[in-house]
Every structure is written in structure tokens, then in C-alpha cells.
Amino acid sequence: MKHLRLLVALALTGLVIACSARVPADSASSGPLSLQVVAHQDDDLLFMNPDLGDDVRAGRQVVTVYLTSGESDAHDVPGYIAQRQAGVRAAYAAMAGATDEWRGSALRIDADHSVEQYELTAQPRIKLIFVNLPEDHGGAHALRKLWADRSESFRAATLVPAGSLVPRSYRYTRYALLDLLQTLMTRFQPTVVRTQDTHPDTSYPHWQPFYDHPDHLMTARFTEEAALLYRRSAKQPVFVQVGYRDYNVEQVPVNLDRAQQQDKLDDFARYRVHDPMVGTQQSYQDWPRRMYHRWPRGVSWVGRDEHGDLRAFAVRGGLVTGWTRRDGTWTSADLAPPGGVLAPALSVATGRDGLHVCGRRTDEDGITCWHGGEWTDLGSPSPGTDVGTPFALAAPDGPVSVFVRTGGGGVARASQGADGSWGGWTDLGGSGVLDGLAAVDGPDGVEVFGMTTTGIRRWHDGWDPVFPSVTPAAAPVVLRDALLYRVALTGEVAVSRRTPTGWGAPVLVPGPGGPGQVAAVVRDGLVLVGRDAAGAVTTTRELPGGGFAPWTSRGALTVDYPVVVPDGDGVLALAVGPDGRLATDPLT
């Protein structure tokens, strides 16, 4: 009777049950398409928004895959799974501004597996796919057992929700699940793949030894491995991958402005009314007020080489693509494979021996730098711990140094010697520093800046006991005479200036409307570039009489955060778009 009542309720919400559909071997998407793979039916709403909402509201193609049924310890498991599915459908429909009516089908993956697929009737570009594997709590650790089992001896059986369009259970081995994800990637050909956290922050005190829900971690690992296999397939598809921090975001400052916080709370509320097991704990207020990328791209992925040509670099599908502008024309080519998996954050510096591109290997937790066609592994300043992403800086006399946050929350440096070879790591001390460093060659030598949960810290031959700052919401960006960072809770931009006696107190200016770092350059005053509330590149500049002009959207879209560099008499904004390509925009 419970199941009958649920079927009636689904019919009243406009759900249309369609026929079975077979996944074609080759079906190209038209235009940008984001593919989210998450463990549970609220993970995308809690941890990937507003990135996800920007795609939905902008009319881009969106496909979200839920690996587990999220059944927990519900008394009526089939009914509860169906309720959670109804919740995410309601949330996506509201984000799209459409009626909550969906066309459902049993999507056949192969002879042995089918999954549930729902298309939003008014906007079929939005698709939700439910695999319905057991979750960790109720399913005897199904995903972690699948991840660990390379012998194919363990098989996890899917659950069947009430009223399911897939009325039978299927069994998955480790490789069958990887094949499912690769098949879906081949089918939808995403330009953006969003994942959960492959390397949770080990300072998080809960869910040890995983430091996150095991389903989040295993889903992220399965997605990353499937994406690497997909990238190596015959067509060598191009896409960018974005990872998101999960539960542990509640430990760091609120990084959405008030309008985005409310939008995200509203999106989650539409899901929440369908899920009777969502608790009243503070976490459900804290998570929706934040969105942190696991490996933010940063704003140092663009530079000039020894010939003066503009160069930009991005990790796409596990490989590093380099773009070069020479004589006004852009060309691109992949660098040599780095020998491991690289995080999306890259940092560029040009020393006396040419251009260097440095990144963080996620398979070995170490730093590696590309130069002259080859990668050199620098190892880790704190092996076996969660080190951060690198920031590369060239000194005036030419050698390049790399700065990285250590696993203990301090900072370490590795530098080139006179012959160009890399030396070992030097511990600069510090504590409580989060990932995302910035460094500059100041009037008295190198200065390094990092954010903590309460303020900004500065190193210059030692750490300042106190640095004048407010609570940051993104990593700092430093120029020779200006320091900028986003402000927690409000999304404003804090701007500090160098004075003859040090750094002055920050002045707050309006933020760009979206999350993340702002990039800056000096051209007749500061020029700032950021991301607006719709995911587009936006810019402002300092006015001659003081203050800043209103932010102006440039229209170009960014998958994360843009950068800006001097270019002739003007400046040039660059971003990686939701199509996975480099977008450039000259600012006058």
C-alpha cells in the first residue's frame, strides 16, 4: 500500500514513464555539458552548488549520476529511496525554472546492467541517472569493497526503489562500475566532469580513517579512474575535471556572498521537504553556505616565456594542455605526460633558463615541474601527508622557487641552484595555513602569503606575529604593492596596500557576485577580474578619484576563476570555459 501511494504521488508530480533506452556507443553532445558523479542524492546540491546551479540556469546540458541509493537505515527502504529521488528532481526543476515533470526510462548500459534515467520534460537537456548501489551504512560498505577488490570476487547488488523504472536488481563488480562510468562518459561526452573529494583534508575529525563519508571518497576515486581511462580512449576526448570538498567545508570560512547563500539554501530546501531523514544539525546550515574546490586552479597558470610569448596551461583529462600566442595567433599542444595524475592547479614562472610549469601529483602527494619538455619530480616536503598545490616564483636573478603548504599547515620552499638543478625542501615554519599560497619579490626580498581560517599570514625571513587582515574566503593574490582576497560571509574584496612602513589595513570593496579568487593587474590603477553570480567573467577597475567602478560582466563564461595579465598597452583576461577551451578577452 505504501508503494501504491508513492506511485500515485509521483504521477501527480507529472512524472512520465517512458520506454527502455539503449546507450549508443557513440553519441556526441552539442555544446558544453557537465557530468556530475556523486554518491548520494543531496551531495551535488550541498557541495557542488553554485557551480551546478550556474550550468542549470544558463541553459547548458547537465547530467548528474548518483551511484548509491542513499537508503541509510530507513524503515521503508524502497519508499525512502524514491523520496530522495523525487527530492533532487524537485530541486533541479526549480533551478531550471520549470515544472517538476520528468520523463523516465530504463537506460540499458549493457546486457547485464540498466540504470534509471530521468529527463526534465520541459528541458530534456537536464538528466538525472540513478544507479542505486547500496550506500555504506546500510549496504555493508559496498563501494569501498568494490574499490578494494581487483579480483572481481565481490559483487554489489543494486536496490530497487518503489515504482522504479528498473524493476530488478543488478550486480556490479569493480570493473563493471568503472565500465558503467566510462560508458556514460562516452555517451554524453562531457566537457566538464565534476567529482567529489579524492583527497579529504586529514584535519577533519570525523569519519576517520577516511576523513569524509566513505561513499564520497570511493565515488570520487571511481570517477577519477574512469575519467582517466576515458581520456585514453580512441577519440582522446578533451574535458576539464573539477573536484569539490565535502563535509569538511564546515571547518573553513563561509565563501559565498549572502545572495548565493540564500539561493543555495533555497535549492536544498526543495530537496529537503522530500527527505524525512535530513536532520536539524547545524551542518545542514553550514554546508550550503560554502563551496570549495578541492584543487582550485588559482591565478598563476598564465605567464610569458623567455621569448615574451604569452603561455597558458590547464589540466584537461589528466594531461596538461599548453596554449601559446605567437604573432597574435593562439596554438595549443599537450605537454609530455607528467608520469602521474595532476591536480588542476598549475603555477607558471619564467626564470633565466626558461619557463617552468609546476603542479601537484595526486597519486604520489608530491610536486613536479615541467621545463624544456621534461618533468622533474621534487618530491614532498612532508611525505605521507596532505601537502598543498605549488606557487612558482622567479627571482630577479633568474632561479625559480616553488612554495607549498606542508601537511602540518606550514610552508616549505624548494629552489633552483646556480646550475638550474633543484635543491631539497626548506621548512619555513608556520601553522594553520590553508592551501593556496601567493608569493612576490618585494622591495626587501621574497614575501609569502597564505590564508588561515581567521586571517592572512605573511612570511618574510620569518612569520609576522600579526598581519592586518579580515577573515578571508579565498586564497590571497599579491602584486608588488597590493594584496587582495575575498572576505568571508560578504564576498567583498579586501585590498591592502604596501606603505613605506609595511602593509596597511585592508579596504573593502564590493565583490564580483560569484565565489573564488579575484585576479589583479596594475594598469592606471588596479584592474580586477572575477566571476559573477552567473558564472561569467566580470571586471572592475580603480577610479582616478578613488574607489572602484561597478563590476561589468564580459559575457565570457568560466568553469572556475579567470586570470588577468598585462598585454601591450592594455590587459587580457583569460579563462577556461565550460566547453573546456581557453577563452581570452582583451580589456581596454
Side-chain angles (χ1 to χ4, degrees):
M1 181 60 72
K2 287 181 181 177
H3 296 176
L4 178 60
R5 286 197 299 269
L6 181 61
L7 286 172
V8 172
L10 291 174
L12 290 174
T13 62
L15 177 65
V16 179
I17 297 179
C19 59
S20 175
R22 168 73 175 171
V23 176
D26 234 337
S27 180
S29 66
S30 58
L33 185 149
S34 66
L35 175 70
Q36 294 68 231
V37 184
V38 295
H40 311 120
Q41 292 87 340
D42 57 357
D43 291 338
D44 45 347
L45 301 174
L46 289 172
F47 308 120
M48 296 180 176
N49 235 353
D51 282 0
L52 172 63
D54 286 349
D55 281 352
V56 172
R57 295 181 178 101
R60 293 191 282 274
Q61 299 178 89
V62 173
V63 179
T64 301
V65 180
Y66 304 89
L67 287 192
T68 82
S69 64
E71 75 277 11
S72 188
D73 54 0
H75 177 69
D76 175 14
V77 167
Y80 178 61
I81 299 170
Q83 286 177 291
R84 297 196 71 174
Q85 291 185 2
V88 291
R89 289 196 296 267
Y92 273 75
M95 285 191 289
T99 304
D100 186 17
E101 296 179 354
W102 297 75
R103 181 167 47 249
S105 63
L107 187 63
R108 190 182 181 201
I109 301 300
D110 55 36
D112 299 316
H113 301 94
S114 291
V115 295
E116 294 183 278
Q117 175 181 276
Y118 294 89
E119 293 181 345
L120 186 59
T121 302
Q123 299 183 36
R125 63 183 176 82
I126 298 174
K127 297 177 175 64
L128 307 180
I129 294 173
F130 301 96
V131 181
N132 292 323
L133 285 164
E135 76 148 14
D136 193 81
H137 179 67
H141 320 306
L143 280 184
R144 54 171 127 161
K145 287 181 178 177
L146 283 173
W147 177 255
D149 179 35
R150 297 176 182 270
S151 66
E152 296 284 88
S153 59
F154 178 72
R155 287 169 169 76
T158 60
L159 304 180
V160 180
S164 176
L165 304 174
V166 179
R168 55 155 292 190
S169 175
Y170 292 96
R171 292 185 175 274
Y172 283 86
T173 63
R174 182 186 198 275
Y175 295 103
L177 184 53
L178 285 170
D179 184 66
L180 163 73
L181 293 172
Q182 290 180 76
T183 299
L184 292 174
M185 290 175 188
T186 301
R187 164 67 179 90
F188 295 110
Q189 297 189 17
T191 55
V192 178
V193 174
R194 295 195 173 105
T195 72
Q196 297 192 258
D197 194 346
T198 56
H199 288 70
D201 187 342
T202 55
S203 69
Y204 191 60
H206 309 300
W207 290 99
Q208 297 184 25
F210 302 101
Y211 305 101
D212 195 358
H213 194 300
D215 286 345
H216 295 172
L217 178 58
M218 301 308 146
T219 295
R221 288 177 174 174
F222 269 112
T223 306
E224 181 176 70
E225 183 162 331
L228 288 171
L229 294 170
Y230 171 60
R231 178 66 176 89
R232 296 167 186 157
S233 61
K235 288 195 172 183
Q236 296 185 322
V238 172
F239 57 92
V240 292
Q241 193 167 320
V242 185
Y244 295 80
R245 294 177 61 174
D246 297 315
Y247 286 159
N248 59 46
V249 297
E250 63 186 336
Q251 296 189 126
V252 289
V254 172
N255 68 336
L256 302 180
D257 67 22
R258 291 187 175 92
Q260 288 197 308
Q261 291 176 49
Q262 192 57 56
D263 285 345
K264 190 170 175 179
L265 285 164
D266 291 345
D267 293 338
F268 182 67
R270 295 180 179 101
Y271 163 83
R272 186 172 190 156
V273 297
H274 292 266
D275 186 346
M277 296 185 72
V278 171
T280 59
Q281 61 265 43
Q282 183 61 32
S283 294
Y284 283 106
Q285 287 293 314
D286 293 339
W287 294 327
R289 298 181 188 276
R290 298 158 169 84
M291 183 195 73
Y292 278 84
H293 291 170
R294 180 58 183 94
W295 309 107
R297 186 182 305 279
V299 295
S300 65
W301 49 277
V302 177
R304 292 187 182 275
D305 62 20
E306 60 271 28
H307 307 295
D309 294 325
L310 199 59
R311 305 285 299 272
F313 299 88
V315 179
R316 301 195 302 175
L319 296 177
V320 177
T321 298
W323 291 273
T324 303
R325 191 187 66 180
R326 182 169 296 140
D327 299 326
T329 300
W330 285 96
T331 58
S332 67
D334 288 340
L335 305 188
V341 181
L342 283 185
L346 300 174
S347 187
V348 174
T350 300
R352 62 184 168 211
D353 59 347
L355 182 138
H356 295 253
V357 182
C358 297
R360 200 269 200 199
R361 285 184 59 167
T362 59
D363 57 330
E364 293 187 353
D365 294 333
I367 305 302
T368 187
C369 290
W370 177 90
H371 168 68
E374 297 182 351
W375 292 90
T376 300
D377 285 338
L378 308 187
S380 170
S382 49
T385 67
D386 183 26
V387 300
T389 54
F391 187 94
L393 177 70
D397 59 349
V400 173
S401 293
V402 174
F403 300 88
V404 66
R405 179 190 61 80
T406 65
V411 175
R413 173 176 61 192
S415 300
Q416 287 182 295
D419 61 354
S421 63
W422 287 94
W425 291 99
T426 300
D427 186 2
L428 304 184
S431 63
V433 177
L434 304 179
D435 201 8
L437 301 177
V440 66
D441 186 60
D444 298 316
V446 172
E447 297 170 84
V448 182
F449 297 84
M451 68 175 282
T452 71
T453 58
T454 57
I456 298 295
R457 297 209 64 191
R458 171 185 176 267
W459 179 92
H460 173 64
D461 291 333
W463 291 94
D464 293 348
V466 177
F467 186 82
S469 60
V470 294
T471 302
V477 175
V478 63
L479 307 176
R480 184 173 175 84
D481 294 315
L483 175 73
L484 305 96
Y485 53 94
R486 300 297 295 279
V487 179
L489 291 172
T490 68
E492 294 168 294
V493 180
V495 181
S496 298
R497 311 278 186 165
R498 191 189 297 276
T499 73
T501 58
W503 288 90
V507 174
L508 306 186
V509 301
Q517 286 178 287
V518 293
V521 70
V522 176
R523 273 293 185 268
D524 297 323
L526 285 172
V527 178
L528 310 185
V529 171
R531 166 181 163 177
D532 69 13
V537 175
T538 184
T539 184
T540 183
R541 64 175 59 239
E542 199 168 9
L543 298 172
F548 284 79
W551 287 89
T552 302
S553 176
R554 302 293 299 181
L557 299 172
T558 177
V559 75
D560 41 32
Y561 314 119
V563 68
V564 63
V565 295
D567 193 38
D569 294 332
V571 297
L572 183 70
L574 304 95
V576 176
D579 59 358
R581 301 175 183 273
L582 181 69
T584 63
D585 185 6
L587 308 178
T588 57

